[in-house]
Amino acid sequence: MLAATASDTALLRAAPPELLSRAQQDFRSLLTAFLMRHAGPDARLNDALAYAMANGGKRVRPALAWGACLAVGGPWQAADSAALAVECIHGYSLVHDDLPCMDDDDLRRGQPTCHRQFDEATALLAGDTLQALAFCALSDASTDAELAPYSAQQTQALSVAARDMVYGQRLDLAAEGRSIRVDELSQIHRFKTGALIRAAVRLGALAGGATEAQLAALDQYADALGLAFQVHDDVLDVIGDTATLGKHAGADAAHSKATYPALLGLAPAQALAAELTEQALAALTPLGSGAEPLATLARYLLARDH
Amino acid sequence: MLAATASDTALLRAAPPELLSRAQQDFRSLLTAFLMRHAGPDARLNDALAYAMANGGKRVRPALAWGACLAVGGPWQAADSAALAVECIHGYSLVHDDLPCMDDDDLRRGQPTCHRQFDEATALLAGDTLQALAFCALSDASTDAELAPYSAQQTQALSVAARDMVYGQRLDLAAEGRSIRVDELSQIHRFKTGALIRAAVRLGALAGGATEAQLAALDQYADALGLAFQVHDDVLDVIGDTATLGKHAGADAAHSKATYPALLGLAPAQALAAELTEQALAALTPLGSGAEPLATLARYLLARDH
């Protein structure tokens, strides 16, 4: 296994979003090389894959994978393949969720969605390819004999998350237009977004050589963080400013979508997000100072205004 | 590792389609248990998964996985997860290929396609789930510590095949309505159907504890067989009888689809299928009598009339 470098160690003491900004920067070059390695014979499909992955937002999931690897004492690069794998699954899910037969969205983060930029068949195939590429990423790394021992556990964690994410999308579609309870809403989010956040943390931790106790602590962290992230997202939709959000504030209410503020009230929803963040932070305690970047990330995600 | 049983050994000396009929029978019960284990919270999506996988055709890919496992001296059950995994990928690809934005088919093997029986969103999600479940199948098995060593190689072979299959579907769509050369047609088939046939054989062989030399021989077998299968399919479309085929004979010509008989002439296409089958059989020679079921399967697939 590679040794932790001086810059890994520096990051452990870093200011708020350094884990995230390093993740964003590293991910860009990693992605370019990865897509070149897996380029297919059709240029248009290659373009669609790059397009879908470029419009990538904050790279929270790769940051979680790298942060979890550092938290258990592993070196940053050990989690490269985990970062790629979870972000490929995330990218595929966005492309398919935007399709006409699903949410039928024309824009994502201000850019035309994949099927608008290309066409529906290309977007469908790009999503399908990205799901396959996620598992290619995991097994690319395992050609390194040292990385093989936890390969089965990574495949298991990622495939179960990919399965549960679809189940969550299905629950979400089925809940549209009917009133649901707050525990049902939490179940939807645990499947739809929580599963992949847990997988990001777990894959990174496995790559870093985590013990069972470390994995259990990080699972708790990821579970609380995933829900906190979603509650805060709902809160932002109510209190946020349209220009900052990059989407219409109040869009959830306009679509009569179930949200935490709608079900609980705004202040209780804000309190719930804060409480879940505290739970996430508490779960990190046994990991010591190595988990500081993950703690900082959790605080940052709750404080964000977009 | 489990010991080969008396019925495994009996199969090695069996008559024509015994590998296939045992595969069909075993697959049915294996699939039921697998889908129950991975059932999600939405009944309709569970139904769609079962529907998509039930209308399964000949189970050639599971048979290849089991046959390859036997061919390298492994016990039948060692390849259960390989059989499930490749057939889940096959099932997902059929559901997505039938969608309106792709081939827009209403019927598959005489039954309504998944999106006609359910709806487009359900079919999209069922396909997405089946791709994830393929990798769940691989890692379900690897919780058995003895099976873990080749898990990374299985994930790699399956994910690359899943990627290449999409690339092949894309090439096929791009070739529609334009005239292509026979080497382009072979490239399309090597990606679109050949990749998964190679993966079926490789996953089964890995599960059976194959050596590098055995893997190389079986790769040659699978490569030749995959193409032979496709050439013969094209031939059947010309000479076959509509009632036996379960689809309209001559459909390829009616859709001005490039086929081997159209590009080479009927008799040369038949000769090519026979030559490829001979190549497949020759590749098995170093494996000895353990490879008899795979040889019988190859002969059967070329002799089939539907």
Side-chain angles (χ1 to χ4, degrees):
Chain A
M1 185 162 284
L2 299 163
T5 66
S7 78
D8 296 342
T9 315
L11 191 60
L12 302 182
R13 298 184 302 270
E18 188 166 337
L19 174 60
L20 208 51
S21 44
R22 184 168 167 193
Q24 286 162 4
Q25 190 180 322
D26 273 31
F27 192 79
R28 199 174 305 126
S29 51
L30 203 59
L31 179 68
T32 306
F34 178 72
L35 290 178
M36 272 180 64
R37 190 160 63 248
H38 290 283
D42 183 85
R44 189 171 162 85
L45 182 57
N46 292 339
D47 288 347
L49 294 172
Y51 183 84
M53 291 300 292
N55 187 4
K58 289 186 282 287
R59 308 296 187 199
V60 169
R61 290 158 196 80
L64 287 168
W66 276 311
C69 180
L70 294 181
V72 301
W76 179 275
Q77 306 96 298
D80 284 1
S81 63
L84 274 171
V86 293
E87 198 69 356
C88 283
I89 294 286
H90 181 54
Y92 122 69
S93 77
L94 299 182
V95 171
H96 280 191
D97 285 0
D98 287 337
L99 284 171
C101 71
M102 303 288 286
D103 298 346
D104 195 13
D105 277 317
D106 292 338
L107 291 176
R108 166 148 317 260
R109 301 191 192 101
Q111 304 288 326
T113 48
C114 192
H115 66 278
R116 297 293 294 171
Q117 180 72 16
F118 296 87
D119 56 80
E120 221 179 307
T122 304
L124 175 68
L125 293 179
D128 286 344
T129 306
L130 288 175
Q131 181 165 198
L133 288 182
F135 294 94
C136 288
L138 284 191
S139 48
D140 278 356
S142 62
T143 52
D144 175 342
E146 284 187 40
L147 295 177
Y150 54 78
S151 163
Q153 289 167 281
Q154 284 195 328
T155 300
Q156 185 162 51
L158 189 66
S159 60
V160 166
R163 177 199 72 187
D164 285 349
M165 211 179 57
V166 188
Y167 290 166
Q169 171 69 4
R170 178 73 199 183
L171 288 177
D172 198 17
L173 288 173
E176 255 174 32
R178 87 183 162 82
S179 66
I180 59 170
R181 298 185 315 270
V182 74
D183 61 316
E184 290 178 280
L185 183 61
S186 299
Q187 194 205 21
I188 292 172
H189 291 311
R190 282 216 156 82
F191 277 99
K192 188 176 173 176
T193 56
L196 191 58
I197 286 177
R198 283 195 302 279
V201 169
R202 190 174 183 85
L203 263 64
L206 286 166
T211 63
E212 282 302 320
Q214 288 173 322
L215 285 174
L218 286 168
D219 272 348
Q220 281 192 293
Y221 164 81
D223 197 43
L225 179 79
L227 211 49
F229 188 73
Q230 193 58 54
V231 177
H232 187 57
D233 224 45
D234 285 358
V235 166
L236 282 181
D237 186 72
V238 179
I239 64 171
D241 166 74
T242 299
T244 315
L245 283 178
K247 63 177 180 184
H248 293 294
D252 291 342
H255 290 96
S256 61
K257 231 181 133 170
T259 66
Y260 289 95
L263 292 179
L264 298 174
L266 180 59
Q270 288 175 303
L272 177 61
E275 186 194 316
L276 287 165
T277 304
E278 284 310 311
Q279 285 177 19
L281 295 173
L284 295 176
T285 312
L287 294 164
S289 64
E292 262 313 307
L294 285 184
T296 306
L297 181 64
R299 285 188 208 100
Y300 166 77
L301 290 174
L302 187 72
R304 82 201 147 88
D305 60 0
H306 63 284
Chain B
M1 186 159 288
L2 299 163
T5 65
S7 78
D8 296 343
T9 315
L11 192 61
L12 303 182
R13 296 184 303 271
E18 189 168 336
L19 174 61
L20 208 50
S21 46
R22 184 168 168 193
Q24 286 163 4
Q25 191 180 321
D26 273 31
F27 192 80
R28 198 176 304 125
S29 52
L30 204 59
L31 178 68
T32 306
F34 178 71
L35 291 178
M36 273 180 63
R37 189 159 64 249
H38 289 284
D42 184 85
R44 190 171 161 86
L45 181 57
N46 292 339
D47 289 347
L49 295 172
Y51 183 84
M53 291 299 291
N55 187 4
K58 289 186 280 290
R59 307 298 187 198
V60 170
R61 291 157 195 80
L64 287 168
W66 276 311
C69 180
L70 295 182
V72 301
W76 179 276
Q77 306 96 300
D80 283 1
S81 62
L84 274 171
V86 294
E87 198 68 355
C88 283
I89 294 287
H90 180 55
Y92 123 69
S93 76
L94 299 182
V95 171
H96 279 192
D97 285 1
D98 287 337
L99 283 171
C101 71
M102 303 288 287
D103 298 345
D104 195 13
D105 278 317
D106 291 337
L107 291 177
R108 165 144 325 254
R109 300 190 191 99
Q111 304 287 326
T113 49
C114 192
H115 67 277
R116 297 293 293 172
Q117 180 72 14
F118 296 88
D119 55 79
E120 220 179 306
T122 304
L124 174 67
L125 294 178
D128 287 344
T129 306
L130 288 175
Q131 182 166 198
L133 287 183
F135 294 94
C136 288
L138 286 191
S139 48
D140 279 356
S142 61
T143 52
D144 175 341
E146 286 188 37
L147 296 177
Y150 55 77
S151 163
Q153 289 167 281
Q154 284 196 328
T155 300
Q156 184 162 51
L158 189 65
S159 60
V160 166
R163 176 199 74 188
D164 285 350
M165 211 178 57
V166 188
Y167 290 165
Q169 172 68 5
R170 178 73 198 181
L171 289 176
D172 198 19
L173 288 173
E176 254 174 32
R178 88 184 162 81
S179 67
I180 59 170
R181 296 184 315 270
V182 74
D183 61 316
E184 291 178 279
L185 182 60
S186 298
Q187 194 204 23
I188 291 173
H189 290 311
R190 281 217 156 81
F191 276 99
K192 189 176 171 176
T193 56
L196 191 58
I197 285 176
R198 282 195 303 279
V201 169
R202 189 173 184 85
L203 263 64
L206 286 165
T211 63
E212 282 302 319
Q214 288 174 321
L215 285 174
L218 286 168
D219 272 348
Q220 282 192 292
Y221 164 80
D223 197 43
L225 180 79
L227 211 49
F229 188 74
Q230 193 58 53
V231 176
H232 186 58
D233 224 45
D234 286 358
V235 166
L236 282 182
D237 187 71
V238 178
I239 64 169
D241 166 76
T242 299
T244 315
L245 283 177
K247 61 177 182 183
H248 293 293
D252 291 343
H255 289 97
S256 61
K257 235 183 130 167
T259 67
Y260 289 94
L263 293 179
L264 298 174
L266 180 60
Q270 289 174 303
L272 177 61
E275 185 195 315
L276 287 164
T277 304
E278 285 310 311
Q279 285 177 19
L281 295 174
L284 295 177
T285 312
L287 295 162
S289 65
E292 262 313 306
L294 285 183
T296 307
L297 181 64
R299 284 187 209 99
Y300 166 77
L301 289 174
L302 186 71
R304 80 200 147 89
D305 60 0
H306 63 285

